[in-house]
Amino acid sequence: MTKTRGQLISMFQHMKTMSNDNAIKHIRHEDIDTTCGYLLEDKQEIEKLEKALDEACKRLSYENEITCMHLKQQYAWAKNKVPKTKEQIKEELMKND
């Protein structure tokens, strides 16, 4: 029977309290395969989210550039306004404040 993510996490956390020799004896190949499958699913989901974030940042960067150009044309105070790059926007979004 395949374990759920929660069951595997609990099992591994419990194993941390055992000696290494004892913990290794309790790991089954099925559990390793299942854990690898879950990690692969997570990796694929993270990659999709990273692509979506990159695309969103690219669009925000473009909109920011257009806004800066418009402001520079309209207002003297905006003449030194520099548009943010995709990387700058992504960095701001990823901050853990």
Side-chain angles (χ1 to χ4, degrees):
M1 183 175 147
T2 303
K3 290 185 171 90
T4 66
R5 287 173 190 259
Q7 289 170 324
L8 286 167
I9 290 169
S10 295
M11 181 185 77
F12 290 136
Q13 286 174 335
H14 176 70
M15 285 180 170
K16 287 187 336 186
T17 64
M18 303 171 147
S19 69
N20 282 341
D21 291 341
N22 202 17
I24 290 171
K25 290 177 187 174
H26 288 88
I27 296 176
R28 295 180 13 219
H29 287 286
E30 178 184 296
D31 293 338
I32 294 170
D33 289 341
T34 302
T35 301
C36 290
Y38 288 144
L39 291 172
L40 181 60
E41 288 172 13
D42 293 346
K43 180 181 178 275
Q44 291 168 343
E45 185 64 23
I46 289 168
E47 287 171 351
K48 286 191 325 191
L49 291 170
E50 285 178 338
K51 285 180 184 177
L53 177 61
D54 281 343
E55 183 60 30
C57 290
K58 182 175 154 185
R59 290 180 185 184
L60 285 171
S61 176
Y62 174 76
E63 292 296 324
N64 182 258
E65 186 176 337
I66 297 298
T67 301
C68 285
M69 287 188 333
H70 175 72
L71 289 173
K72 285 179 184 181
Q73 291 171 354
Q74 299 294 319
Y75 306 102
W77 58 264
K79 69 179 181 177
N80 295 325
K81 190 159 177 60
V82 178
K84 293 180 182 177
T85 65
K86 179 183 98 170
E87 290 76 20
Q88 289 170 321
I89 291 171
K90 186 175 181 178
E91 186 177 313
E92 284 181 18
L93 290 171
M94 297 296 289
K95 284 182 183 173
N96 289 330
D97 290 343

